[in-house]
Amino acid sequence: MLLAYPGLHAVWFHRIAHWFYRRRLYTLARLISHFSRFLTGIEIHPGARIGRRFFIDHGLGVVIGETTVIGDDCTLYQGVTLGGTGKERGKRHPTLGNGVLVGVGAKVLGAIVVGDNARIGAGAVVVKDVPPNCTVVGIPGRIVVRDGRRVDPLDHTDLPDPVQEALTVLRAEVRSLTERVAELRPRERGEADACAR
């Protein structure tokens, strides 16, 4: 790990860059941050505040914004973005509580708070606060587990099938039209017989 673990190296470089950033040596802090990104593929702004025992696993593509605050014992996987939405000023990036896990490719955006021990599922896009001890999945992110109890079970067998729904509507329409045509045929025959006489 000491020699060949980019997640660990990125955190080390960040600690050094952050030290310079806090002393208003911004150019030196940014240069260290850029060098770290070049070596590790992980971009951590030197202004981000990161707690103890922070772990980046398979970190390629991780981006952590300037006003991000990360608590102790947090874990990020590859492709995670802790970024802004472009609409805020001042505090623009998320705050993660202690023990938060953010899954592969998840995007946590804006000046939101993710509570202690929360879990963000792979590929989720989270733009609203997450209470402690919750699991969030999907786009947009929604809570599916709260305090160990399932809130919104994801039963993939019950997902809507838009093609089947369209076919059901079409069948009902064809049945209705067929019945209407059957009603009109005797009337047409009667009118045709009357004209023939």
Side-chain angles (χ1 to χ4, degrees), residues 4 26 83 121 123 139 147 154 166 183:
Y26 301 124
I139 302 172
D147 295 320
L154 293 175
E183 290 173 8

Side-chain angles (χ1 to χ4, degrees), residues 36-37 40 55 60 86 93 100 108 131 135 146 167 174 178 188 196:
S36 173
R37 184 179 64 178
T40 66
F55 184 62
L60 190 65
H93 302 98
V100 173
V108 183
T135 299
R146 185 186 304 261
L167 287 174
V174 167
T178 302
E188 278 182 12

